Amino acid sequence: MRHLQIRPGVYRDSVALMHISARLAASPGVEQALVAMATPVNVELLADLGLDRPADAGPNDLMIAVVADSDEALAAALDTVERELAAPTPASSTSDVGIPAVAPRTTASAARRVPGGIALVSTPGPYAFVEAMDALEAGLSVMVFSDNVPVEQEVCLKQRAYGQGLLVMGPDCGTAVVGGVGLGFANVVRPGPVGLVAASGTGAQQVMALLAAAGVGISHCLG
């Protein structure tokens, strides 16, 4: 059983979608599964599932592809997708008097509530600049996971960051390790004396893996 569904204008973070795909692929009766945004690269993967590429799908459309060995397995997989996509975001904290706090509506307001040093921006490209600039103005360095960000916006972000003594990684920055915390697609590595700055995410991951195999740890890896 092969099933392909396109949901126009439905966006989810790519890391979250990878987790859903992995969960489906591990389900009984599911041979292959792909839940991803319909970017050109992801659409090409449909051929591996024996599915034709959709003619009208774009990078801001959600794509659900499942290959299962029975109608029952397919139905169960699609139910799992619905539950995962409908799952609420983690509950916000409560106030001192037990009243649920209102979730922050901007990056800067979130930074004021939970002080930190870096923000990870993972939105469709057209919206990444606004969120990244909001984070910079709040005093945060930024990892821009998003791609499809115009180069003039990238230049503007990095000039602003430089003027404030901050850092912008990306756009299209897929991996980083900052203070031992993995961001994006990051290897789990031990802390240590080596710092990396990399133009290639997969290259950075390979170097980190080789260092780990040699018993050497990482302080930071900046994508």
Side-chain angles (χ1 to χ4, degrees):
M1 302 298 300
R2 302 181 189 276
H3 176 86
L4 175 63
Q5 181 182 144
I6 304 296
R7 298 192 180 182
V10 175
Y11 178 83
R12 292 294 189 277
D13 176 77
S14 59
V15 176
L17 294 180
M18 285 188 65
H19 285 299
I20 296 176
S21 296
R23 203 164 291 127
L24 288 183
S27 300
V30 175
E31 298 175 5
Q32 292 175 291
L34 175 65
V35 183
M37 302 307 297
T39 62
V41 171
N42 288 335
V43 168
E44 292 296 330
L45 297 176
L46 292 176
D48 296 335
L49 278 68
L51 294 166
D52 295 330
R53 58 184 300 160
D56 55 352
N60 291 321
D61 301 330
L62 181 65
M63 183 170 63
I64 301 169
V66 180
V67 179
D69 61 11
S70 67
D71 290 336
E72 292 76 13
L74 176 60
L78 295 179
D79 284 343
T80 298
V81 172
E82 294 300 332
R83 288 196 303 272
E84 294 290 340
L85 294 177
T89 56
S92 59
S93 59
T94 57
S95 66
D96 293 339
V97 293
I99 300 173
V102 177
R105 298 181 62 85
T106 68
T107 301
S109 64
R112 288 193 295 269
R113 179 175 299 182
V114 184
I118 188 167
L120 193 158
V121 174
S122 180
T123 68
Y127 311 110
F129 174 78
V130 172
E131 298 305 329
M133 187 63 76
D134 200 29
L136 289 173
E137 292 177 351
L140 302 179
S141 291
V142 185
M143 173 179 172
V144 184
F145 190 87
S146 310
D147 58 3
N148 296 316
V149 177
V151 66
E152 61 272 14
Q153 293 184 354
E154 176 181 354
V155 171
C156 181
L157 288 171
K158 291 183 176 178
Q159 288 177 336
R160 175 64 67 87
Y162 180 78
Q164 295 181 227
L166 299 171
L167 176 68
V168 170
M169 293 179 282
D172 200 21
C173 178
T175 186
V177 177
V178 180
V181 177
L183 302 173
F185 302 109
N187 298 65
V188 177
V189 294
R190 71 186 70 189
V194 177
L196 298 177
V197 177
S200 165
T202 52
Q205 290 176 332
Q206 174 71 353
V207 171
M208 284 191 286
L210 291 172
L211 288 169
V216 180
I218 299 294
S219 58
H220 305 285
C221 174
L222 305 183

